[in-house]
Amino acid sequence: MIERTLSIVKPDGVAKNLIGEVVRRFEAAGLKVVALKMVRLDRGEAEGFYHVHRERPFFASLVAFMSSGPIVPMVLEGEDAIARVRTVMGSTDPAKAGAGTIRKDFASSIEKNIVHGSDGPATASFEIGYFFSALEIPPR
Ligand code: CMP
């Protein structure tokens, strides 16, 4: 099924000059970038994006990290896009990520893991809407 999902190049990925490399890997995997921008979240905006994790012990640190510098959210479209993006990213923890994945190759920790990808259709819908208005995304 053709899906859309949200990915983000996180502040560590932007700082390490990996925007192009992340986009290249997604495109090489058959995904199409249908929207993309650079933004900087404030604390409240980062808290809102990760609200499902608000009870986790790492929440405050995650919010501080995600609001520490510019990020590049993008909407990716393609066959099974949600799972495909997660395959290209690799496991959340880079120590557990497979060879050739973005996180294995570039992430420095389970928190500073370069890239985010939606984990399911409902999350993708919420996350796309968090960063992009209807006017910024081409109709399907
Ligand atoms: P992401 O895929 O964006 O989803 C939630 C984020 O929380 C995750 O990537 C990591 O950046 C961070 N995260 C998840 N688990 C942990 C953890 N155990 N310790 C610190 N940060 C974590």
Side-chain angles (χ1 to χ4, degrees):
M1 186 182 42
I2 300 291
E3 293 175 327
R4 285 180 173 178
T5 188
L6 184 91
S7 182
I8 304 173
V9 184
K10 296 183 178 186
D12 57 334
V14 174
K16 290 178 175 176
N17 276 353
L18 291 172
I19 300 169
E21 177 66 12
V22 169
V23 171
R24 188 192 69 74
R25 289 186 183 212
F26 287 143
E27 290 180 336
L31 294 153
K32 189 166 190 62
V33 178
V34 298
L36 180 147
K37 63 173 76 167
M38 179 178 274
V39 297
R40 180 160 181 174
L41 300 179
D42 64 26
R43 282 184 70 88
E45 290 164 344
E47 286 172 357
F49 181 74
Y50 279 121
H51 73 281
V52 295
H53 296 304
R54 62 191 176 280
E55 307 295 342
R56 303 288 195 96
F58 57 80
F59 183 66
S61 178
L62 175 62
V63 166
F65 165 56
M66 288 300 289
S67 56
S68 67
I71 62 174
V72 178
M74 69 192 85
V75 180
L76 297 163
E77 181 179 280
E79 188 70 25
D80 297 325
I82 295 170
R84 195 174 292 230
V85 164
R86 295 177 71 78
T87 298
V88 175
M89 291 192 304
S91 296
T92 306
D93 182 353
K96 297 178 183 155
T101 63
I102 292 170
R103 286 166 169 165
K104 182 70 173 183
D105 290 346
F106 302 114
S108 57
S109 71
I110 194 168
E111 178 181 83
K112 294 180 175 56
N113 60 1
I114 303 290
V115 68
H116 168 84
S118 307
D119 65 5
T123 318
S125 177
F126 165 75
E127 292 182 349
I128 290 169
Y130 203 81
F131 285 104
F132 295 94
S133 74
L135 287 174
E136 294 174 312
I137 308 172
R140 300 186 71 156

